[in-house]
Amino acid sequence: MTRLYYLLLVMTALCVNPCQAESIHIRSIAALAERIQPGLSQHFTFELTADLVEKFEISTVDKKTAIRGSTPNSITAGLGWYLKYHCNSGTFWTVKRNPIPIPLPTVAQTIVRQTSMKHRYYMNYCVDKYNYRYWDWTRWEQEIDWMALNGVNIGLVIIDRGAVLHKVVESYGVNETVNRYYGDAIMPPAQFHFQLHEYERAQLDRRIRLQQDVIARMRELGIQPLLDGFKGIAPRQLADTLKDVRFKDGGEWGGEPKEPFIEATDPFFEEFGAKYYQQQKKLYGDQCFIAADPVVEGSAPQTDIGELGLKIQNQILEAYPNAIWVLQGWQANPRDGLLRKTNPQRTLILDLWCEQRPQWRKRDIYAGTPWVWSIINNFGGRTGMYGNLDNIFVQQIESKSQPQGKFLCGVGALLEGLENNPVVYNALFESAWMDTKPDMRLWLRDYAKSRYGKSNKHIEKAWEILYEKVYSASITNAQQGPTENIMCARPKLKIDRVSSWGTAIPYFTNKDLIPAWDEMLSAAEELGDSDGYQLDLAELTREILSNYAWELYPKVIAAHQQGNQKEFGILAEQFLELFDEMEMVLSTRKEFMVGPWIETHRNWGQNEKEKRYFEKAAKTFITVLGGKPFSETGKLHDYSYRAWSGIMTDLYKARFETYFRELRKATDKKSEPNIDWYDFDYKWTATPHNYALEPSGSTADACKILHSKYGKNINSDGR
């Protein structure tokens, strides 16, 4: 059975035959339970109900756990809820699940949870580059299960790298392939450029098949895919070829021109759009949600955006009569004029950054168009601890009391990078099933128990401290994601950030964190075998070393500027030693190693030459991000930096070693050495290296060594 045939069979059953659809859903949920733990499905019963209100019910019936839900996704959310709160086995990205006890724990009184949040949305366009562009089916299967168990029912799927658009463009005799690596910014490919390297082009059919598999599995579990739609943007090569079509300037972003727009009043707009959706439907079947943002960042196109918005929505509805047009609420978008002529009830706005800059508070459009309360929390996949748990609950409650609250219909995670700060996204998707803010200390006890497998008083205390000092509204800074690790910055005399829009100035000190470190390590004997415990201990240790580096570095520079070469040498050596100590901890966790990241990319190559190309791409994404103008003039270098084993020593430490050598030569102690950091970083991306693929050593042992060294002697002020 071909992938496309299977996809169409699933879609036909789900859309046409209710009985067959219910059977497919129940079988798929049972298969999900089997993937969680072999034999588990035998201890559950799953049932779809006819309730008009979306909800799930959990009870014990005839020695089995019965989960009933009004939608397939409600059932999977109920399954995730039961595993967390009754089996101490939560659902996390990379952490191995705690074993589920058999027989299953009894539910003494039926649990009923319902939600008014019709849409539970997941994924940002940027995740394509910063996480999933080179995933295989095994990793996608894990992610879809994560989505289902967390109650996600809409997920962005752009695995095919714009294959639909490329196929339509090719029908006009245009090939946009370029035979060089082209860094395509943090914007979606279809919103900045369309060029693909020849190796990427060769992978399109493989990507289409993978996207078909992902969509089929998502639909089985009640998750609707969100696909990229036609928004009027066209490749520049198409504009150069079709001289009789009216194209408009697409505006600019980051100092670079964006692709041109097809003038909405030109007949070619409708011709191209119709072909686009015909091709999309041929590959992926009917759709319920289509994303088509003509502008997200940068200047707007020089065209009548009211007419443009009408044409975009009409083309979506002509292709998919039951679909919803999805737009991103980011900066000034969607522009009010874009929606002036459109049907608001067939539109959905994702208010991206509600934890920092909620658009719903200041935009009238949110009082007339359905919208989703969303968070980003992570930019570029950058590592570090960060999040505002209080705001997730408090702001949603606040919004419901405002005129805009009438149109609030969902929650969303628009994170740019996955696998960071899971506590934040766990809280977000649970909030959809809660009417009030929970007692966060009690909620965190349950969270920790589900992550580590059992209760522990030291862990409870540690998470109380982390909540008070890192994850609460009273302490969290307004910034783009986690505080950055100064060790990962390009060296200069005064460092205040790693990426252009981040900050490396901590809003919490080691005086705040070390008590949590003490408590975490006190739980090592009881919880040392817990995968979640090991990961969080490594994360906390990395954060403490990063804070210490931030305190130590100004002292290194002060010694240099004072001309005290002996003190400079001692302090510089202490600073460089931190990289090796960080390496010792990070190398114990696969999530914190650059080797697996590179290998995931290399696996898409068919031979060593292709593998080298994909290896370079993997390294480029987390360093210079693109060519020199883009990296340096556009200031995008290190936007997606990672404090990972391998890169910590081979690139980040090497930067500072080079910098300190140049400082020693300097006669002017106030001037910066003349170092071309782009060339320095580029050499790392272009030099093949066999990094370790598997972790080594004990996380707890490594952290204990560092705790004995730094735990009580970091500085008099606690840093």
Side-chain angles (χ1 to χ4, degrees), residues 211 280 326 345 347 471 702:
Q211 180 151 316
Q280 188 176 71
V326 181
Q345 296 310 307
T347 307
Y471 291 110

Side-chain angles (χ1 to χ4, degrees), residues 535-555:
L535 179 59
D536 290 352
L537 179 60
E539 178 85 68
L540 179 58
T541 302
R542 178 175 61 186
E543 206 72 30
I544 288 169
L545 294 184
S546 173
N547 273 8
Y548 179 50
W550 183 84
E551 175 67 16
L552 180 59
Y553 187 72
K555 297 178 181 179

